[in-house]
Amino acid sequence: MPLAFSTLGCPGDSLAQVIATAHAAGATGLEIRVADGEFAYPCMDVAARTAVARQLSVAGITVLSVASYVKICAPFDVTAQGLVKYDGEALTSSASAAGADGPNGAAADGAPNGARAHDAAAAATVGDDHDARGAFDPVLADLLAAVELCADLSAGNTRAGTSDTGTSQTGAQLRVFPGAALEPCDDGATPSAEMAAADRLGAQRLNLAAQRARELGVTILLETHDSHPRACDIVRILAHVDAAAPVKVIWDLMHPWRYDEAPARTAELLADSVAYAQYKDGVRIPGTNTVTLTLPGEGELPLLEMRDLVAETLAARGISDPWVSLEWELAWHPELPPVSEALGSLTKALA
């Protein structure tokens, strides 16, 4: 299982520093966090993207995924922006749509040049069988721009895979969040009308971005996170996604676990859709869904069981060497040890 890590664990580090950390740990893959102040950021121009892809390729580092902060289920604020929001069972829209720029006049997709910004904006309309037709959607524009960024940053991927069906490469993969701004459903409960509408809205955006993603060879990866922490939440969205859409799932091992979904159940539900797993560890505060993070192997997550479940699930699809990727949340928890220590702990925990 090749080792990767998210640059969330080394906030503010230069690309050279991140590469040095990877080489020291024996890691050959990166989840590249796209954020202001990092070496990859939303407004990168083409030259900057090309330079990053080239340096990673020379260093022998695969871009496992480009970690965007696009929230595909995020509602529109129709009163503030004159756009679209979900409202119960339906999407409703205002009479007028926004222009090619996002809120506050910013470029909707943070694209590096006007042509890409306008291309994304032109495509970023949302509508369904209700009455939301032709309204500009800034979330969709951000998603389309992130697809472009992902394709550019992943251009140097060269890792040869060892799938049972022959040699392959790790293609471009874009991480997105659900981000419905709603509390997760109770275990076994029927989703509220608002949550059901959020599920459909997220799927609709994925479907609308699918053609461009296919053209660029990008797979969009929906992470078990926030409003949809469990596999049972994620599959509600996937049920509305076109079968041919290049959409898979990142199994963040902690979130389904802390919401009481058994790992075997998560693996079962994601059997056809999981792309890889993010590893972390922690101790759950009794009676809550809150977890205090620990070094891998020092917490309560059954990491070995989870690793084996991921491996078995992907082996059934002909993938015999799934990535092990550490998501170390140093950016959010600066009191944590450095990512190099966490990588060492993960390697030992999975030995």
Side-chain angles (χ1 to χ4, degrees), residues 56-342:
L56 289 170
S57 181
V58 169
I61 302 294
T62 293
V63 180
L64 175 56
S65 67
V66 171
S68 79
Y69 287 91
V70 175
K71 299 177 180 179
I72 61 161
C73 299
F76 292 169
D77 184 347
V78 67
T79 56
Q81 299 178 22
L83 301 177
V84 178
K85 67 176 181 178
Y86 51 72
D87 180 14
E89 287 295 329
L91 291 174
T92 59
S93 67
S94 64
S96 62
D101 289 339
N104 304 317
D109 63 349
N113 56 59
R116 281 192 178 176
H118 287 296
D119 286 347
T125 57
V126 64
D128 67 0
D129 293 334
H130 303 288
D131 61 350
R133 300 181 182 277
F136 173 76
D137 181 357
V139 175
L140 179 56
D142 285 345
L143 176 56
L144 289 166
V147 167
E148 300 272 353
L149 177 61
C150 178
D152 291 343
L153 291 178
S154 306
N157 279 5
T158 57
R159 170 182 171 261
T162 55
S163 71
D164 294 344
T165 56
T167 300
S168 63
Q169 292 184 336
T170 297
Q173 300 185 126
L174 173 69
R175 190 279 307 277
V176 297
F177 287 141
L182 299 168
E183 287 298 312
C185 300
D186 291 336
D187 187 28
T190 300
S192 66
E194 190 176 20
M195 180 66 85
D199 294 342
R200 294 195 304 275
L201 178 57
Q204 185 179 40
R205 286 167 170 153
L206 292 173
N207 288 332
L208 289 168
Q211 179 178 346
R212 187 56 178 154
R214 278 193 298 268
E215 291 170 353
L216 295 177
V218 173
T219 301
I220 302 172
L221 305 182
L222 181 58
E223 185 173 326
T224 54
H225 199 269
D226 53 73
S227 57
H228 293 68
R230 299 158 301 201
C232 65
D233 303 309
I234 292 293
V235 296
R236 295 199 317 267
I237 299 174
L238 297 182
H240 302 287
V241 174
D242 294 341
V247 176
K248 296 293 184 183
V249 177
I250 297 174
W251 180 1
D252 182 316
L253 298 179
M254 180 169 285
H255 294 310
W257 172 84
R258 72 188 181 94
Y259 277 91
D260 299 314
E261 187 173 75
R265 178 60 174 161
T266 306
E268 177 186 9
L269 290 171
L270 299 183
D272 296 327
S273 59
V274 66
Y276 67 90
Q278 288 178 338
Y279 289 73
K280 59 185 70 169
D281 207 350
V283 176
R284 187 168 166 182
I285 298 173
T288 75
N289 302 118
T290 302
V291 175
T292 300
L293 297 173
T294 68
L295 286 167
E298 296 182 5
E300 297 174 342
L301 271 75
L303 294 180
L304 288 172
E305 176 193 356
M306 291 169 157
R307 178 202 62 187
D308 292 345
L309 284 166
V310 173
E312 291 166 8
T313 299
L314 290 174
R317 291 172 23 214
I319 301 170
S320 59
D321 60 343
W323 287 93
V324 168
S325 187
L326 171 73
E327 187 179 56
W328 191 239
E329 299 185 4
L330 188 64
W332 313 134
H333 299 278
E335 74 280 1
L336 291 173
V339 70
S340 57
E341 185 174 345

